[in-house]
Amino acid sequence: MKLSDYAINELIPYITGDNKTTVYKKGSELTKLFNSYGFRDIYDFNKGGLPKLSDNKNGMNTSRSDYTKDRLTKLSGKYELQNLLEDIINTAENTEKCAEEINSIISPENYNIEKINGKYTILGSKISKNQEIKNDARFINIQSDIIKELDNAQVSISLAMAWFTNKTLLKKLKEKQEQGIKVEIVIFDDGVNAKHGVNLEGFDFVKVRAERGGIMHNKFCVIDNQTVITGSYNWSDNAEYKNDENISIQADPKQATKYSVKFRELKSQTKK
């Protein structure tokens, strides 16, 4: 998730709690917050409190707002920024108001906040009332079509896949994650994935069983909460090179939101 300098400046009081919607955070609490998203900062009261910033040439102690701006800027372009903002919203004293206000800051930059299963989540681009709905069926060269759609991802990729053994598609997901796209994966917890499945280390993923005792047989991918890829096609070499398969590529934000909700339900069954 990448934000402009303007948006980052506007978000600072929501992180520090210097407003009426989020919890006020002392310097030590801010370091603890940012450390949970990858930093290794130490709050040392005897050395001025917050860490000195690289551009601090006046020798003064780092302020809470300057520290927050620096860390938000460093997170911009990474999916951890999205996770942090969702955490801030969902722990706010007034979650609805906080979500509304932060949405007004990030929506001009093609992000949108929605409430899914009781929690606020940052999704892809805003839904345009005049947006053209597209639904395209594909039967051959499916892998290349999936890669083209993944290349268009700007915010998030949510994948629910029964069997995932295709290393080419795995490589593309890694590439998108390195670009700061939030990638989440749910796969079926069975022997095929255990023995032949791709290595998902480094991804936010879970393995699940079917709730009704059968197979977690879903095969869909939601991109930016705008586009859904679904059909018979597993992300496997057999599906690409041996089987007769199909997918449909649905550019339909309302449909994508339904799949996003289902993805959250599947992920809630977590078994890593």
Side-chain angles (χ1 to χ4, degrees):
M1 181 182 190
K2 190 170 183 61
L3 294 174
S4 67
D5 291 342
Y6 175 83
I8 287 172
N9 280 328
E10 293 295 305
L11 288 170
I12 290 171
Y14 293 91
I15 309 301
T16 61
D18 291 306
N19 56 25
K20 296 181 180 179
T21 57
T22 57
V23 179
Y24 179 87
K25 295 178 184 64
K26 298 182 291 186
S28 58
E29 293 169 327
L30 286 172
T31 57
K32 183 178 181 180
L33 171 67
F34 283 106
N35 284 348
S36 67
Y37 291 97
F39 291 94
R40 305 282 288 175
D41 294 331
I42 296 175
Y43 183 88
D44 190 339
F45 181 80
N46 295 321
K47 294 183 179 180
L50 289 164
K52 293 286 193 293
L53 304 179
S54 58
D55 60 353
N56 185 351
K57 299 182 193 258
N58 56 22
M60 295 180 66
N61 293 340
T62 305
S63 69
R64 292 165 53 257
S65 60
D66 285 345
Y67 170 76
T68 299
K69 179 179 180 179
D70 181 82
R71 295 311 186 250
L72 287 177
T73 301
K74 286 181 168 62
L75 285 179
S76 185
K78 301 178 180 179
Y79 66 84
E80 285 87 353
L81 178 58
Q82 180 173 334
N83 291 338
L84 185 149
L85 292 178
E86 289 175 350
D87 183 32
I88 293 297
I89 295 167
N90 287 300
T91 59
E93 294 180 347
N94 185 334
T95 56
E96 183 177 357
K97 189 171 190 299
C98 183
E100 180 182 341
E101 292 178 1
I102 289 182
N103 196 54
S104 70
I105 296 170
I106 66 175
S107 61
E109 303 189 15
N110 295 323
Y111 299 97
N112 187 48
I113 299 172
E114 294 189 22
K115 195 172 187 178
I116 299 176
N117 293 337
K119 294 190 71 173
Y120 288 99
T121 302
I122 298 174
L123 300 171
S125 305
K126 291 189 297 181
I127 298 173
S128 170
K129 293 181 180 179
N130 299 318
Q131 184 167 339
E132 182 181 0
I133 305 302
K134 296 181 181 180
N135 195 340
D136 192 7
R138 309 290 174 86
F139 302 95
I140 59 172
N141 299 322
I142 291 176
Q143 176 181 278
S144 62
D145 288 329
I146 293 173
I147 288 174
K148 288 178 183 176
E149 295 301 322
L150 293 176
D151 276 331
N152 293 330
Q154 299 180 56
V155 181
S156 61
I157 298 170
S158 301
L159 175 68
M161 191 55 51
W163 294 287
F164 190 179
T165 65
N166 187 313
K167 293 182 180 179
T168 300
L169 293 174
L170 174 70
K171 181 179 179 181
K172 178 55 65 175
L173 288 182
K174 287 183 177 178
E175 177 185 316
K176 298 307 292 184
Q177 182 165 267
E178 289 169 357
Q179 293 172 7
I181 307 302
K182 183 176 184 179
V183 179
E184 299 175 277
I185 303 170
V186 172
I187 62 170
F188 180 38
D189 184 11
D190 80 328
V192 174
N193 281 318
K195 186 175 181 179
H196 303 290
V198 295
N199 183 1
L200 295 175
E201 183 177 351
F203 287 102
D204 179 2
F205 80 97
V206 296
K207 297 179 180 180
V208 301
R209 306 289 292 185
E211 287 189 299
R212 297 189 295 170
I215 297 172
M216 197 295 287
H217 210 235
N218 285 286
K219 296 178 271 284
F220 66 83
C221 179
V222 186
I223 299 172
D224 293 345
N225 201 50
Q226 302 291 293
T227 302
V228 177
I229 305 170
T230 189
S232 69
Y233 185 94
N234 278 294
W235 286 21
S236 67
D237 291 332
N238 283 343
E240 178 63 19
Y241 300 112
K242 294 182 179 180
N243 303 342
D244 292 333
E245 303 277 4
N246 72 83
I247 61 168
S248 65
I249 301 174
Q250 305 170 19
D252 183 344
K254 290 185 178 179
Q255 185 82 328
T257 294
K258 294 178 183 179
Y259 275 91
S260 291
V261 171
K262 182 60 182 177
F263 181 84
R264 296 296 170 201
E265 292 174 357
L266 290 169
K267 196 177 179 187
S268 71
Q269 303 172 31
T270 68
K271 180 181 177 182
K272 286 194 178 181

